[in-house]
Amino acid sequence: MRTPPFARGRRILFASTAVLASAILNVASPVAASTVVNIGETASGVAVSNSNLVVAGLANAKQGVIVTASGATTRVDIQCAVSDVEIDAAGSFGWSVCSDAPYLGVSSLTTGEISWTETKVTGAFDVEYSDTTKTLFVLGESGQLAIISARSLSDYEIRKSISIGDTPAGLAISPNGRQAFVSTYSNRFMIIDTRTGKFRTVSVRLPGSQQISLGSLAMHPSGRFLFASGYVVKTGSSEFTPVFLTLNPTNGRTISSATLSVDSTSIDIAAGKNALYVGMGLSVDLPSGPTGLLQFSVNQRGQLGRPTAVTAGRVFTSEIELSANGKHLVVATTNSELLRIAV
């Protein structure tokens, strides 16, 4: 997830392996996190396995923290400006990418073994994994995407290296691993065939003369919908309104949209079967009170419902991630806390 240039300035992420805590989520009403872990600074990247094993990264400390389902934590020194982390569904392997070096960190979460392999991607800020195809996707600030085989510790061959020719904002992978989606800081996103490396550009349009700048992406577990966050800019105005979209992943057609009344801020999203989870760097006023962690219900047609709070109170978030089985939501807050929420 990246912060739009007009929102809070350009934010570079450093990450590694870090942690989180636990809570119970009700789709209809706000709940409080059951466990909170203070890690000393805001995590810059988080990931969670199906067994609730969490990894995240600390920018200034250049450390990773691993948190088990029982809450046991381990800190690891990382001598690299890691910008994002990922984990496989089983919680066996973790990966990290660096903003200052074109390398992928490969960690065995069972043995503790760590190795590095070259990605040839400069300024990497996002890494995603497809459990279906055993493939990693590393996206860089210049618009370069590396597709890397990840079938074993001795593998990690770069299958494809693609330049999208634009400044990227977000990355999402289809459930079958055959398509990658890259958003840009405009109304366009790219649909990439991960087997051939060929891609096409699709434009997102809103009613009237509204312009949109896209941000984070998230794919629905069914593959039928692509969710996007962004900002609407009215013609002749300098005001930015956060917008959330359900898109047709084939042609970019807008299926549903929702806006929030809040100033420009960092936004991250994660998609479950029946909800789109939203983490924001500022709070939004909802009927239940102000919060920076909320959700939109999603019906079978991809329509977004009214926003409700996931947690009550002024929770300001930097990163959120949902496990592959849709049961565990991980949240990094801007006050150095990590939350783990059962959904």
Side-chain angles (χ1 to χ4, degrees):
M1 182 273 295
R2 303 179 72 190
T3 304
F6 50 76
R8 302 184 76 183
R10 186 167 172 273
R11 181 165 67 94
I12 298 178
L13 303 178
F14 305 99
S16 166
T17 6
V19 209
L20 320 135
S22 188
I24 296 185
L25 171 71
N26 183 300
V27 172
S29 60
V31 296
S34 62
T35 309
V36 179
V37 177
N38 191 301
I39 55 174
E41 66 177 87
T42 300
S44 53
V46 295
V48 57
S49 73
N50 285 348
S51 60
N52 215 5
L53 179 68
V54 174
V55 296
L58 306 181
N60 297 324
K62 292 186 178 180
Q63 287 184 327
V65 186
I66 304 170
V67 181
T68 66
S70 64
T73 64
T74 302
R75 287 179 179 258
V76 181
D77 289 326
I78 306 293
Q79 301 304 315
C80 179
V82 185
S83 53
D84 196 22
V85 296
E86 180 62 298
I87 194 171
D88 69 334
S92 301
F93 295 99
W95 300 276
S96 58
V97 291
C98 298
S99 63
D100 60 351
Y103 293 100
L104 173 76
V106 183
S107 304
S108 170
L109 299 178
T110 54
T111 67
E113 179 185 357
I114 300 175
S115 61
W116 296 89
T117 186
E118 190 172 10
T119 64
K120 299 182 180 179
V121 175
T122 57
F125 70 91
D126 201 345
V127 57
E128 301 290 340
Y129 176 67
S130 169
D131 251 312
T132 304
T133 60
K134 309 301 180 188
T135 305
L136 286 161
F137 302 84
V138 178
L139 183 62
E141 294 179 340
S142 63
Q144 189 176 11
L145 177 68
I147 302 176
I148 303 171
S149 176
R151 293 189 175 277
S152 70
L153 281 175
S154 59
D155 190 0
Y156 295 98
E157 175 188 359
I158 299 176
R159 293 178 178 173
K160 299 289 180 182
S161 185
I162 304 162
S163 177
I164 66 170
D166 207 338
T167 303
L171 172 66
I173 310 301
S174 65
N176 62 13
R178 295 180 179 178
Q179 290 180 311
F181 302 87
V182 178
S183 59
T184 67
Y185 288 120
S186 65
N187 69 327
R188 299 185 299 275
F189 69 89
M190 285 70 178
I191 305 173
I192 302 168
D193 186 317
T194 61
R195 294 166 295 182
T196 66
K198 295 181 179 180
F199 69 89
R200 57 191 175 92
T201 302
V202 175
S203 296
V204 177
R205 303 188 184 281
L206 295 177
S209 58
Q210 298 180 103
Q211 299 177 359
I212 183 172
S213 176
L214 296 174
S216 299
L217 296 177
M219 176 62 71
H220 190 269
S222 69
R224 295 174 55 206
F225 312 119
L226 178 67
F227 299 103
S229 67
Y231 285 89
V232 172
V233 186
K234 292 185 178 180
T235 303
S237 173
S238 59
E239 296 183 358
F240 301 93
T241 302
V243 64
F244 304 91
L245 306 171
T246 306
L247 303 173
N248 183 314
T250 302
N251 55 26
R253 182 179 65 84
T254 299
I255 298 172
S256 182
S257 65
T259 59
L260 293 175
S261 298
V262 64
D263 292 336
S264 300
T265 183
S266 60
I267 298 175
D268 199 12
I269 60 175
K273 181 180 179 181
N274 300 309
L276 177 66
Y277 302 99
V278 177
M280 307 185 71
L282 294 175
S283 65
V284 58
D285 289 326
L286 298 178
S288 59
T291 184
L293 181 59
L294 53 108
Q295 60 187 328
F296 292 95
S297 61
V298 179
N299 67 18
Q300 294 182 347
R301 300 188 304 276
Q303 299 289 328
L304 300 175
R306 293 182 178 180
T308 58
V310 175
T311 55
R314 296 184 179 276
V315 178
F316 307 145
T317 66
S318 62
E319 304 283 334
I320 64 173
E321 193 72 32
L322 190 67
S323 61
N325 61 6
K327 295 182 178 181
H328 309 290
L329 182 68
V330 164
V331 181
T333 73
T334 57
N335 65 341
S336 307
E337 293 178 338
L338 294 166
L339 315 176
R340 191 161 54 199
I341 301 172
V343 296

